[in-house]
Each structure stands twice: as C-alpha cells, then as structure tokens.
Amino acid sequence: MTVQITLPTTSYNINIQKLKQLSFDRKVVIVTNPTIQKLHIDYLMKNINAKNVSVVTVPDGEEYKNMTSIDIILEHCFKQKLNRKSILVAFGGGVIGDMTGFAASIYQRGIDFMQIPTTLLSQVDASVGGKTGINNKFGKNLIGAFHQPIEVNIDPYFLTTLDKREVSAGISEIIKMAVCFDESFLNSLQEWDLNVGSDDLNKAIKKSVETKAWVVSQDEKEKGLRAALNYGHTFGHVIENETNYNTYLHGEAVGIGMVMANALAVKLNMMTQEEADLIKKLLEKYDIPTEYIIKDVEDFYEHFFLDKKSLDDKIKFILPVGIGDVKMPDDISKEDVISVLKGFTNE
Ligand SMILES: NC(=O)c1ccc[n+]([C@@H]2O[C@H](COP(=O)([O-])OP(=O)(O)OC[C@H]3O[C@@H](n4cnc5c(N)ncnc54)[C@H](O)[C@@H]3O)[C@@H](O)[C@H]2O)c1
C-alpha cells in the first residue's frame, strides 16, 4: 500500500510493503550502522539495481548522532565522487535517518535521499516529514534542516529482528498519533494486538503514516499543527535528561510524558480521568513505562525551559482535548503544573 504526501514544493510516496526492487541510474550511497548492516544488508542489496553502489557505516547509537558521523558520511561521498544527481539511502532507525537526511541536505548544497526505516519508531514517525539533524553538547536535534526524502520504503519485515523494548517504544509513538488526531484509531488500537508480523501492526503502521503525512502536509515547517506531534515530549525530554539518556528509550520517556500531560489535561478539565486511564492502560498493555518518581519538583519544572520548543520563557504544553484533538497552550500557571508534578512524587 502507498501513502502519498503532498507538500508545497514536493510530493513523494511512502510505500508500506515488502521491499520493492529499487533501480537507480545514478551513484548510490547506503548509510547504515554495523548492527543493521550485519542483520539486513544482504536483503537490501538483493533489492537494489545500480551500477555504482557503496555502503558507509557510522557507529550505532544516539551518542554518535553528531558532527563526527556527518563528517564520516560526507567524506565517503567525496571519495566516491558523488555529484549533485547522486542519492543517499538511509538504512536504519531514526538516528540513521536523521543523519543521512542532514548529510544529504548539505552535500553540495543538497542532494536526494531515500528512507528505508528499520525500527518501528522510524517507520511510523521519523522517516516521514523531512526533519533531519544531529545533536550537540547544547541539546538534541539542535542542528539540522528540513529536507524531504524522495521516497520512503517501509518493509515491516525488518521489525522481526528488533528488540522488544524498541518495538514498544515505537508503539508509544503510534498511541501518540491516535490520541492527538484520531479517536477511532485509538478505539481500534484497544482491540488490536500489535505483534510484529501481525496484520494489526501493519494496519497501525499504515494509519500512523497516514496521520503523520496529513499533519506534515498541513504544516511542513512546524509553525503550528506539527508541534502537536510533541505530545508527551515536553515531559519526556525532562525525564530523559534527568536520567542522563541512559535509562529510558525515547519512546518510553514519551510514554511517561503522555501520562503526565494527561494528568495536566485532566486538572484543566480538557480530558476526563476515564480517558487518561484508558490511555495509561493501553501503554501498559505494551509494557511502556507509565510511572516515574520526580525527586525535585522545582528542578523538574526548571528543566522545561531548556526545551527548544519553549519560546520567550514560556512553556508550550501539548495537551489532549479528550481523545483525537489537541491544544498547545503556553499560559498554564506554574501552580497548576507544580500541583500535577507533585502527583508524581513519593510525597
Ligand atoms: N525526524 C523526525 O521527525 C524524528 C521523529 C522522531 C524521532 N526522531 C529521531 O529518531 C531517533 C530515534 O530513532 P529510533 O528509535 O529508531 O532509534 P535508533 O535509530 O537508535 O535505533 C534503535 C536501535 O535499534 C537498532 N536497529 C535498527 N533497526 C533494527 C532492526 N531492524 N533490527 C534490530 N536492530 C535494529 C539500531 O541499530 C539501534 O541500536 C532519535 O534520534 C530521534 O531524535 C526523528
């Protein structure tokens, strides 16, 4: 099945199916890491027709989503004498996708790239929409560019080798899409069993991709609606930061973040307790963590201001309005937030 995304300057297909034969009459560089290379490069190569294809690997891990890895990729491109018609293929999870897209956006002022995402999180979210970038010592994804892929090829087969926790982290982002934009999708998620290889998971991938494509087509550069995709992230980023990025996967921290955002939404009468409980139960069904003990509420609150989405010293919260809608207020009182955060302490 194919979902099309149409933007003001471009449009492209997102194919969700067994990987098709990919033919290129230009130089191709596949960007991946050793983990994915070992597991899946043969499968990919069998599906590529090109006279000139090479592979460059960067170390595996979010800590390598940096300028050093970009240098490795660009250096390979220069050594292979890529020109402006050449293409990069991102073959991996969100880290590889974001870095490959960024390298493609700056190599000779911009060349094409294709996404072949291999984690659930990257299949349902990161590979679609053209946000590319890297981290630096000041924070995550602070250097980057909007650069759309020419095509996204999602093959659920790759998920068969994915760690169970990584699958759950991807499901967390699927639940996020449903809560923000589609009540009937959330109802379906309550009935479905999202096991790797199941029809239910494939349907959920398709629905998430359709939702993401719809959001991005409304707001490519995140001037408004697209920011709603950060539901759960405002709290989640603080949790990741407080735990030194070594305790929770991103999707897991977002899971806890959604529970916290829901608690704030309940306090502000935007969501009922029953709706919040229903989402929590759904997260728990997939072993996504929902509990977190805040040690210092004031400190947790101060952390919000480090988030790059907090403009002009205001914190923008992304809060569900019931299920299927979302609001992004930036005027919630500190007292309300603190009182909700206190619900996540041991007191
Ligand atoms: N651009 C966007 O719109 C967007 C959206 C959400 C997240 N992101 C970014 O995505 C990144 C997270 O992506 P992720 O969750 O995919 O993490 P990841 O890319 O680090 O992949 C997770 C782990 O799974 C391994 N892996 C990948 N595919 C595998 C497979 N098929 N089988 C076995 N192992 C496999 C990877 O090597 C890695 O160790 C973050 O850097 C985040 O900022 C970007």
Side-chain angles (χ1 to χ4, degrees):
M1 70 196 78
T2 295
V3 177
Q4 216 195 25
I5 175 162
T6 305
L7 302 165
T9 52
T10 184
S11 74
Y12 55 94
N13 287 340
I14 304 153
N15 304 309
I16 307 162
Q17 60 192 41
K18 189 174 159 24
L19 192 62
K20 62 176 181 166
Q21 204 63 32
L22 302 165
S23 296
F24 301 97
D25 55 2
R26 47 180 164 164
K27 280 190 182 169
V28 184
V29 167
I30 296 163
V31 183
T32 190
N33 70 34
T35 313
I36 301 149
Q37 184 179 37
K38 196 165 158 217
L39 290 167
H40 295 301
I41 200 84
D42 293 344
Y43 180 91
L44 174 64
M45 285 305 189
K46 274 189 203 132
N47 288 285
I48 290 194
N49 272 330
K51 270 205 229 94
N52 194 318
V53 50
S54 62
V55 179
V56 58
T57 61
V58 290
D60 185 3
E62 181 77 33
E63 65 270 37
Y64 299 105
K65 189 176 164 184
N66 58 23
M67 209 49 109
T68 308
S69 295
I70 295 296
D71 268 342
I72 294 172
I73 299 167
L74 294 178
E75 179 135 350
H76 180 89
C77 294
F78 286 113
K79 284 188 176 150
Q80 293 296 316
K81 299 193 167 56
L82 261 57
N83 62 27
R84 299 200 60 197
K85 292 214 166 72
S86 307
I87 182 167
L88 303 189
V89 174
F91 185 47
V95 168
I96 290 290
D98 281 11
M99 284 200 291
T100 307
F102 183 52
S105 79
I106 57 176
Y107 184 78
Q108 297 190 2
R109 295 205 180 83
I111 61 171
D112 286 347
F113 86 112
M114 175 187 284
Q115 288 272 18
I116 306 184
T118 61
T119 62
L120 184 57
L121 184 140
S122 59
Q123 295 193 346
V124 300
D125 190 348
S127 64
V128 176
K131 265 198 196 177
T132 74
I134 54 170
N135 310 325
N136 72 357
K137 67 176 180 184
F138 296 100
K140 281 183 75 177
N141 299 323
L142 294 181
I143 299 170
F146 285 97
H147 189 57
Q148 299 293 340
I150 59 147
E151 190 173 71
V152 182
N153 285 298
I154 295 172
D155 183 345
Y157 160 75
F158 293 123
L159 305 178
T160 55
T161 55
L162 197 59
D163 191 76
K164 196 172 162 294
R165 263 182 83 190
E166 295 284 356
V167 174
S168 292
I171 292 174
S172 178
E173 301 280 356
I174 293 175
I175 294 170
K176 171 194 81 176
M177 300 278 182
V179 175
C180 288
F181 301 111
D182 195 336
E183 186 174 12
S184 75
F185 183 22
L186 196 90
N187 293 339
S188 302
L189 287 177
Q190 285 176 271
E191 284 161 28
W192 291 348
D193 259 324
L194 304 180
N195 298 312
V196 169
S198 67
D199 267 358
D200 284 350
L201 183 60
N202 293 350
K203 281 188 283 188
I205 293 172
K206 175 172 177 266
K207 197 75 205 153
S208 291
V209 164
E210 278 173 351
T211 309
K212 174 100 191 239
W214 172 79
V215 172
V216 174
S217 67
Q218 309 285 310
D219 177 24
E220 182 184 0
K221 302 268 168 82
E222 199 169 310
K223 304 267 188 254
L225 183 73
R226 188 169 179 173
L229 293 169
N230 294 312
Y231 161 55
H233 289 60
T234 315
F235 295 92
H237 284 156
V238 179
I239 292 166
E240 283 183 288
N241 192 281
E242 279 200 345
T243 53
N244 296 319
Y245 298 92
N246 61 18
T247 308
Y248 297 104
L249 298 176
H250 174 69
E252 292 177 329
V254 168
I256 303 169
M258 287 192 274
V259 172
M260 290 180 169
N262 294 351
L264 185 54
V266 170
K267 167 136 190 97
L268 300 170
N269 294 319
M270 295 167 70
M271 172 179 255
T272 64
Q273 187 59 52
E274 290 69 37
E275 288 166 330
D277 291 345
L278 184 154
I279 296 165
K280 189 167 181 226
K281 209 169 138 210
L282 189 55
L283 292 164
E284 284 166 352
K285 177 175 167 188
Y286 294 103
D287 298 324
I288 300 159
T290 55
E291 313 275 347
Y292 182 77
I293 305 295
I294 299 176
K295 291 194 189 72
D296 183 334
V297 168
E298 284 289 336
D299 193 56
F300 194 99
Y301 186 83
E302 285 309 312
H303 264 82
F304 287 132
F305 294 98
L306 301 176
D307 195 314
K308 69 175 181 297
K309 272 129 202 150
S310 312
L311 299 168
D312 306 328
D313 290 342
K314 286 183 180 164
I315 313 165
K316 184 154 83 177
F317 286 100
I318 292 128
L319 301 179
V321 183
I323 288 174
D325 198 5
V326 70
K327 276 214 171 96
M328 297 180 258
D330 64 3
D331 57 353
I332 297 179
S333 73
K334 182 174 175 184
E335 291 68 38
D336 279 341
V337 179
I338 292 281
S339 90
V340 166
L341 293 179
K342 280 187 176 158
F344 291 85
T345 61
N346 261 340
E347 284 167 27

